[in-house]
Amino acid sequence: MLTYASGRTWVIADCSHSRLIVAEAGVRRLALFGETSIDAGRLACLLARHDDVVGLMAAAHEISGSFHILYADGRSTHVQGSASGLRQVFYARCRDGSYAASDSVEPLARLGGATPRIEMAAWGMLHPGFDYGLTHGTYWHGVHRLPADRRLRMTADRAELTTWWRPPAPALSVADGAPGVRAALEEAVAVRRATAGGLSADLSGGMDSTSLCFLLAGQGARFPCFVERTVDPNHDDAHWAAIAAREIDRQLTVLGPEDVPGPYDGIWEPGRGLVEDVPYGLGEPYTLIRNRARKTAMAKIFAATGSDTHIGGFGGDELFTVAPSHFADLSAHAPLAAVLGIRDLARLRRWSMPSVLRALARRQTYQGWFEEQLRSVHLPRPDLLGPGLNWGPQVRVPPWSTPAGVDAVRAVATAADAGRTPQAGTRSVHTSVAGHRIGGQRLGPLRALMEHHGITLSLPYMDDAVLEAALSVSRAEALPGTGFKPVLKAAMRVGAPPDSRAGALSRSTKGEFSMSVHRGLARNRRPLLGLFEDSLLAEHGLVDIDRLRAGLRDTMRPEYETNALETTVAAEVWMRAVAQAPAPAPERPLTHRRLASPC
């Protein structure tokens, strides 16, 4: 617990999985909460050097790691999360009129006596989800999500938001940018080495996790590695992970389908209802819910090795895979270069050139794209998707959504807390930043689940320094279809001998998990049908229960249907968990509430 100079409470923090470092100078207070290796003495020097909020917060942001920044100057409190979206900030007005902020929705919902926003359940079922930034709301009335690029200033009776972060100019060549990416990753890994009691790491054999394991090993860290072997005989993660483990001389554990639960195991059981071996969070649906039981089991396995910090490669895809929309950006000022550049990718994706030319010719603004998505969100998803050159993918409600569900989505998208601005000025950079922030948001419940079993899920690719270094490289230098993550490959070759280009880091394939998902659906068809027996989503008119149950009984072949099912299961489970929980309690039972209006 930290206090103001007056002795009143300022910050209450659970430090089980995060460091809380504080410095004081008179009435001024500066605190970092999260993953950082800085000590209180260095933080005090930083506080002494800066007497203005902007300069101090900017200097604190330059510190390596991933953390929240909190500052009090005797008049107000300033709170800042991470630009990556991993360190989220929520805020709400309490019953006494004052404001409070948290990295979790639930305590704010309790403080404010909040009630659930039922229409957000429809919003959460969208797949792919609407873009990051289109709503600053949460699943609870009166609790707001701070956009990742904003800073919150709270006084006794006011809450103000200011922009503190913008993407760096993507101006460096791969050769010039790779050393900066390498340095940022080295620093990120060093923070984990310095602060973890025990380390473990994912080693899927893919570029992202393999690179982190190489860096950890290069710094002398000893740690066990883990890879999952799927039921798909063509899935080659375990093969490449074994190669990587030999190259870095670290122990590799292969977790087979029989070693851990599979997709949709352990969510609902006849006669028992929701399986609550791990408490369900009430803040928002756990959109990665189909692997909940597996991640719970894996967290226990990691902890049994003595690890309290598990390194994961989440975020690498968004940083180092350039979206095809780069060619639409290029077409605005160099149309011939865009056409010539996209030809190989069009052949690979089987896009017809007429459709590509039409997509390149569109000069659609972000606002125009948003309005178009909103108008067509109710339409059936086309069997064949055209060139993905826009601000985001086509957004559709699930095939079992109702007209009321569509209305709820549109209500959220047009509410007062809905945003209308892109995350960057160009489509391809916007896609990277938005994808990173969507990932940071969706990973919150997974990180909470693993913390329940003593494991911090640590994600170096979501450190702001890594994000900024990767975004500084020109999109034109890492074109889609011309190589597999060339910026990350170049970064890993910095200072390495020429013969290191072979081996695990030369992999250009990516594992695919649909066979495991379909196997899990087949094995859990009865429990899933049981989950929707007395569906709260259906009771509130958001899903056509007959159509949903018919889809569950069928093979559900298209990928978008299996993904939409996961978000639907997550929404149903969230509603049930809220209805059963004693706090934060709705004013009326959730099962007796109708579709709520946006706050």
Side-chain angles (χ1 to χ4, degrees), residues 178-228:
V181 173
R182 175 64 178 252
L185 284 171
E186 289 277 13
E187 285 288 332
V189 167
V191 167
R192 278 70 182 184
R193 279 197 64 226
T195 57
L199 282 169
S200 57
D202 287 337
L203 181 53
S204 71
M207 273 291 297
D208 302 332
S209 63
T210 300
S211 296
L212 295 178
C213 288
F214 268 69
L215 293 172
L216 280 169
Q219 294 184 13
R222 305 300 303 185
F223 56 95
C225 311
F226 295 86
V227 64
E228 297 177 63

Side-chain angles (χ1 to χ4, degrees), residues 253-523:
T253 298
V254 180
L255 298 173
E258 67 283 354
D259 298 321
V260 290
Y264 292 109
D265 288 351
I267 295 176
W268 189 93
E269 293 179 1
R272 183 180 179 185
L274 289 182
V275 178
E276 297 184 353
D277 295 337
V278 177
Y280 287 91
L282 305 181
E284 59 188 338
Y286 181 9
T287 56
L288 305 173
I289 195 168
R290 70 187 179 203
N291 292 321
R292 177 180 181 273
R294 184 159 94 248
K295 294 300 183 182
T296 299
M298 291 173 69
K300 294 177 181 178
I301 292 171
F302 303 153
T305 69
S307 171
D308 61 10
T309 302
H310 185 78
I311 306 294
F314 294 103
D317 286 342
E318 290 75 14
L319 288 186
F320 300 112
T321 303
V322 177
S325 55
H326 160 75
F327 293 108
D329 299 331
L330 180 62
S331 181
H333 57 85
L336 181 58
V339 172
L340 295 175
I342 201 174
R343 288 183 303 175
D344 289 342
L345 182 64
R347 281 193 291 267
L348 181 66
R349 301 282 180 91
R350 298 181 181 180
W351 296 335
S352 71
M353 282 310 296
S355 68
V356 169
L357 293 174
R358 286 193 297 271
L360 289 175
R362 296 193 76 185
R363 298 289 183 263
Q364 193 173 39
T365 64
Y366 181 80
Q367 178 72 19
W369 171 83
F370 162 70
E371 297 291 348
E372 181 179 79
Q373 297 304 306
L374 210 55
R375 286 193 301 270
S376 60
V377 72
H378 65 290
L379 298 176
R381 188 177 177 88
D383 292 332
L384 295 176
L385 298 177
L389 306 183
N390 220 317
W391 291 94
Q394 289 184 351
V395 179
R396 295 290 188 269
V397 295
W400 40 81
S401 188
T402 62
V406 174
D407 290 344
V409 168
R410 289 173 173 156
V412 172
T414 55
D417 56 10
R420 293 290 186 277
T421 56
Q423 305 301 296
T426 60
R427 298 181 189 189
S428 57
V429 177
H430 162 84
T431 301
S432 291
V433 176
H436 220 51
R437 291 173 175 172
I438 290 169
Q441 181 175 320
R442 294 185 72 197
L443 287 166
L446 172 59
R447 293 171 63 235
L449 179 150
M450 296 185 72
E451 287 177 0
H452 187 80
H453 292 284
I455 295 292
T456 296
L457 177 59
S458 187
L459 308 172
Y461 288 117
M462 288 194 163
D463 285 11
D464 282 357
V466 178
L467 169 69
E468 290 162 357
L471 292 179
S472 296
V473 179
S474 168
R475 308 282 97 178
E477 288 279 318
L479 295 181
T482 61
F484 191 74
K485 300 184 178 177
V487 175
L488 181 56
K489 281 189 175 180
M492 293 305 296
R493 290 171 182 165
V494 171
D499 61 358
S500 66
R501 299 187 180 195
L505 291 173
S506 67
R507 183 185 181 186
S508 61
T509 61
K510 189 170 180 63
E512 198 268 338
F513 294 88
S514 62
M515 186 177 291
S516 296
V517 172
H518 284 286
R519 184 187 189 220
L521 281 172
R523 186 171 59 244

